[in-house]
Amino acid sequence: MQGKSMTEGAPWKHIIKFCFPVLLGSLLQQLYSTVDTIIVGNFSSEEALSAVGTTDTVTFFFLSIAIGLSAGSGVVIAQYYGAKNEKEVRRNASAGIFFLMILGLVVTVIAELLSTVIFKDVVKVPAEILDLTLVYFRLYMIGMVFQFGYNIFSSILRAVGDSVATLIFLVISSVINIVLDLLFVAGFHWGVVGAAVATVISQVCSFVAAYYYMIKRYSVFKFKMNEYRWDGQAVKRAVVIGMPISIQLIIVSVGLTFISRAANEFGKSMTASFTVGGRIERYINLPCNSLQTTLATYTGQNIGAGKLDRVKKGAKQSILISVLSTIVISTLIWAFSGTIASWFSLSEDALVYCLPHIRTVAIINFVLSLYIPLFGLYQGMGHSFFPTIVATCALGVRVIVVYLLRYSPFLGHTIIWWNGLFGFGVGCTITWFFYFSGLWKKKKAL
């Protein structure tokens, strides 16, 4: 089998080498998402900016299913790859592709049917931006099936140690998305329609590029059409590991949706500010999230090869890398927060909310860097449900403090961004308690 094994040599070298393309890929995703927002904010209106931003947590809800289940397939494939079992690598990859593509179609249909209920009754989008929100969301969701496909292709490639390829696909997608944004939104003045169409086209391109590369680069993944079929056992393996990951992300999405709903209560200026603050927060979290993905593959391969000591060493080194890189990013964002906020052409009212939001998350999201990479360790070991428990507790605390304190004299509306301090603190405590307990060492390799 072709690919790159992480079962020999210095762990930190493998981790950095694997993580760097993942990090750059995630950075590109955030960049073109941010460019979307900047272009809409500058060439359309603050209402259009708010509409695009309001859909974030809901689209992430549906995308969480793809991310989790494809990650589950990736962990299974990584373990079999580490054990040098080519037959099972091939079997689980073809089954994963079939399953995710069908599921993507189902999710797309459900999202389209429930869109009005979601944004009008659940998220409670302000009436003046509801129509724009629905138009953007419905067009965006047409491309969701391609996001499902791209995620499973990326997970398969990462499972065999190829994280560079996914970076290349994202470069292609990002460039296409930005160019089309400028053409459709700035040039043709299509507003949210242009932003949505540009995103869908870029998603199709990354899907096609990833699939073509996978079957051309790796002969083991060159399947015949009749090999894409239902395989209950393979799907079950992926679901057992991946569903907890999906649930974890869904819980995050639902929690953030309720926080977004609380932000909407303060009017469209807060909604616009919340959109920008959320986008900036994702940049701060790029290192720890990328290291989570990296550590899951690293752990899967080393557990498949029976090397627990390398797993522990890799986990400690990942945390150190996470902390140092997060400090650098947070410092830069704090120092240039005013300049960053100005890029989005926010009104003066929105800036009053946005600046303290950006500066606060630059401080408190450091806590995430202390524990999120360990989620990858637990997922790679087969303890996928543990991060779900942590996410549930952390988001539960965040939502509770928001709704208890949003009108209080203690923090008032600033709890919209300070809530992370409470939730992340709880998450960090639980995660490290599980690590020091040693219970995670009870491996669940396939």
Side-chain angles (χ1 to χ4, degrees):
M1 285 184 291
Q2 297 168 302
K4 300 175 183 177
S5 174
M6 294 190 278
T7 58
E8 302 290 342
W12 67 269
K13 291 183 180 179
H14 286 298
I15 289 166
I16 291 177
K17 187 175 182 180
F18 186 93
C19 181
F20 191 64
V22 176
L23 177 62
L24 284 181
S26 298
L27 176 61
L28 281 171
Q29 285 182 308
Q30 294 307 322
L31 280 174
Y32 83 66
S33 178
T34 302
V35 169
D36 249 0
T37 310
I38 291 174
I39 293 174
V40 170
N42 281 273
F43 295 98
S44 190
S45 63
E46 189 166 285
E47 287 78 9
L49 169 67
S50 299
V52 171
T54 299
T55 66
D56 276 0
T57 55
V58 180
T59 54
F60 184 68
F61 175 93
F62 293 106
L63 188 57
S64 296
I65 300 171
I67 294 172
L69 294 179
S70 61
S73 283
V75 169
V76 174
I77 294 166
Q79 290 191 4
Y80 281 125
Y81 179 78
K84 304 186 186 305
N85 189 333
E86 181 174 338
K87 180 181 177 181
E88 287 297 331
V89 167
R90 184 178 175 87
R91 175 189 175 189
N92 283 274
S94 61
I97 292 170
F98 179 82
F99 176 52
L100 264 293
M101 292 301 296
I102 296 299
L103 189 60
L105 288 171
V106 173
V107 165
T108 298
V109 172
I110 292 173
E112 297 287 355
L113 292 175
L114 296 180
S115 57
T116 301
V117 173
I118 291 170
F119 289 103
K120 184 178 180 180
D121 301 323
V122 179
V123 182
K124 290 192 178 297
V125 172
E128 58 266 41
I129 64 169
L130 178 59
D131 288 341
L132 288 174
T133 301
L134 291 173
V135 167
Y136 179 83
F137 177 76
R138 287 166 179 164
L139 288 172
Y140 179 94
M141 287 303 298
I142 293 173
M144 184 58 68
V145 64
F146 299 104
Q147 292 198 58
F148 269 67
Y150 173 77
N151 271 276
I152 184 61
F153 300 153
S154 296
S155 291
I156 291 170
L157 291 171
R158 285 194 293 265
V160 298
D162 192 344
S163 58
V164 175
T166 56
L167 171 61
I168 296 171
F169 309 143
L170 287 171
V171 169
I172 295 170
S173 177
S174 300
V175 170
I176 292 172
N177 192 86
I178 292 170
V179 170
L180 292 179
D181 263 338
L182 291 170
L183 178 65
F184 296 157
V185 181
F188 296 165
H189 302 291
W190 287 357
V192 296
V193 172
V197 172
T199 301
V200 171
I201 293 175
S202 67
Q203 289 165 353
V204 173
C205 291
S206 60
F207 168 86
V208 172
Y211 179 72
Y212 182 80
Y213 173 87
M214 183 181 71
I215 63 174
K216 290 296 183 181
R217 176 70 175 82
Y218 299 96
S219 58
V220 69
F221 300 134
K222 190 176 290 185
F223 305 109
K224 297 178 181 178
M225 287 306 296
N226 61 2
E227 292 183 272
Y228 294 117
R229 59 180 182 270
W230 178 261
D231 184 328
Q233 187 177 13
V235 170
K236 181 180 177 181
R237 291 169 183 158
V239 170
V240 166
I241 295 176
M243 184 54 74
I245 300 173
S246 289
I247 293 172
Q248 171 201 336
L249 296 173
I250 287 170
I251 289 169
V252 171
S253 173
V254 171
L256 292 177
T257 298
F258 277 101
I259 295 172
S260 174
R261 175 174 173 160
N264 291 339
E265 293 178 7
F266 293 95
K268 68 178 184 179
S269 293
M270 173 65 93
T271 301
S273 168
F274 188 78
T275 296
V276 175
R279 294 285 164 93
I280 302 307
E281 187 171 1
R282 291 174 197 168
Y283 285 97
I284 302 171
N285 299 337
L286 284 175
C288 61
N289 289 333
S290 299
L291 284 162
Q292 176 185 345
T293 300
T294 300
L295 200 54
T297 299
Y298 173 88
T299 301
Q301 286 194 9
N302 280 280
I303 286 301
K307 299 182 177 181
L308 181 62
D309 286 342
R310 283 182 59 81
V311 172
K312 292 189 287 186
K313 187 178 294 185
K316 294 174 183 177
Q317 293 174 359
S318 294
I319 291 294
L320 179 60
I321 296 168
S322 175
V323 169
L324 293 177
S325 53
T326 301
I327 289 174
V328 172
I329 294 173
S330 294
T331 301
L332 290 172
I333 287 177
W334 172 276
F336 297 101
S337 56
T339 302
I340 293 170
S342 70
W343 294 342
F344 297 87
S345 295
L346 295 173
S347 65
E348 290 297 324
D349 290 340
L351 281 173
V352 170
Y353 295 125
C354 193
L355 285 175
H357 188 161
I358 292 174
R359 290 166 182 164
T360 300
V361 297
I363 297 173
I364 63 178
N365 280 52
F366 165 76
V367 181
L368 279 174
S369 71
L370 295 170
Y371 74 94
I372 289 296
L374 288 180
F375 284 6
L377 167 68
Y378 303 144
Q379 289 160 355
M381 289 292 295
H383 299 294
S384 297
F385 208 80
F386 181 78
T388 305
I389 296 171
V390 177
T392 302
C393 294
L395 261 297
V397 169
R398 292 181 66 184
V399 172
I400 288 170
V401 297
V402 165
Y403 280 85
L404 283 179
L405 302 176
R406 68 192 189 282
Y407 294 122
S408 73
F410 174 47
L411 286 170
H413 68 267
T414 66
I415 196 62
I416 297 298
W417 44 86
W418 276 107
N419 65 81
L421 181 62
F422 301 91
F424 301 155
V426 169
C428 186
T429 301
I430 298 173
T431 301
W432 277 103
F433 178 82
F434 187 63
Y435 181 85
F436 287 122
S437 73
L439 294 173
W440 63 273
K441 296 177 186 177
K442 297 179 179 179
K443 69 176 184 179
K444 296 184 178 182
L446 297 170

